[in-house]
Amino acid sequence: MKRSTLAAALAAATVMAVAPAAQAQQKLKVGLMLPYSGTYAALGTAIENGFKLYVAEQGGKIGGREIEYFKVDDESEPAKATDNVGKLIKRDNVDVIVGTVHSGVAMAMAKAAKDSGTLLIIPNAGAVAVTGPMCAENIFRSSFSNWQPGYAMGEVAAKKGMKKAVTITWKYAAGDESVGGFKEAFEKGGGQVVKELSLPFPNVEFQPLLTEIASIRPDVVYTFFAGGGAVKFVKDYAAAGLKKTIPLYGAGFITDGTLEAQGADADGLLTTLHYGDGLDNPKDKAFRAAYEKAYKVAPDVYAVQGYDAAQMLAIGLNATHGDVAKKAEFAKAVTAARIDSPRGAFTIGASHNPVQDMYLRQVIGKENKVIGIAAKALADPGAGCRM
Ligand code: BEZ
């Protein structure tokens, strides 16, 4: 071998030998793409808080690497989502993206993650497609699919003997899929959805739709709203006099993180969700105490999902010694894990969506009290997912 060729080969070998160690020293670039403005702003903050709480509990490191954060306010605006996620992938060159809340934004993020190969952990948005036809080795969800709480509540309503339901929601993937889950289980159980009402996201002009509900007089109303819109809907439903005459059931987002603002208008409401108050598990007790100490507010479901997004990242990166490029090893570790969550232990299914209990909750005072399990270890069907 010529002297110059030998020198080049030695240099290359040296780089290969030090690369893993050098990478372990480099900070892990985490892109937080969340809503920090608009009707879902409080949800974004709770997710970030939960994520950072878990990181702090690990001494500030995940997979042996310190963290550097990059933040984008996605405004829950699907039209800006491709540009926004591009800032994290191309400009900031992040190792992992954690986001977001809104299903329409999340679908654009999933496409970008699939195209670029960037690791994506979704800490809320339940868009069914993301863990269905758009599923990928590098895309995970720490939250739920929109179908899950809806399906659980459809079973509850049918078992209670309700026959005629009206649904009301925002017209976008989350609302449509939540209502779809409810309708599937409710009609399987002998009920009928007689009217599906909706308005564009994030409108809150509910009055004409409430008047229509009053004239139809169903046995039950099923709803999906969240954040600021959920606060107004519950107050408007009560102010219209409907709370006294037609039971309002919902996916739990309708009363999660919102009870202070909803006050007595939320009292007694029944909802289904994968988290709630009064769960008797040590992990939840420790999580709540730590969260309240750190942020001076009680945690909600969004905080739990942020915390668990960080746990999933840690499980994957511990298996790969901090290397985000080892996608198959990362996925193998996360899908094999039993995740010790404040919601109760859960697993990640083949399409990378949580398989988890759906609790039945009732608003009592300022709490979403867990009063039973509506659906045990409920898995989203993951239709159309081919890894
Ligand atoms: C969604 O867009 O998927 C979503 C937003 C808020 C709460 C739950 C789901």
Side-chain angles (χ1 to χ4, degrees), residues 40 43 101-103 124-127 144 146 172 174 224 226 253 302:
Y40 288 161
L43 288 57
V101 168
H102 186 286
S103 277
N124 184 72
F144 57 92
N146 292 317
Y172 81 104
F224 165 87
F253 313 107
Y302 309 105

Side-chain angles (χ1 to χ4, degrees), residues 90-149:
K90 295 182 197 134
R91 182 194 64 192
D92 302 328
N93 199 18
V94 297
D95 296 302
V96 52
I97 301 172
V98 177
T100 187
V101 168
H102 186 286
S103 277
V105 177
M107 282 196 269
M109 294 172 74
K111 181 173 183 321
K114 209 168 171 167
D115 291 349
S116 64
T118 311
L119 177 60
L120 170 64
I121 303 181
I122 300 172
N124 184 72
V128 165
V130 165
T131 51
M134 299 176 82
C135 76
E137 194 178 40
N138 57 317
I139 300 176
F140 299 84
R141 185 149 52 201
S142 66
S143 51
F144 57 92
S145 84
N146 292 317
W147 176 90
Q148 284 175 307

Side-chain angles (χ1 to χ4, degrees), residues 28 172 258 301:
L28 183 75
Y172 81 104
T258 55
V301 70

Side-chain angles (χ1 to χ4, degrees), residues 230-244:
V231 172
K232 179 148 190 304
F233 181 74
V234 165
K235 295 192 89 57
D236 286 6
Y237 195 85
L242 291 173
K243 186 164 181 247
K244 288 191 228 104

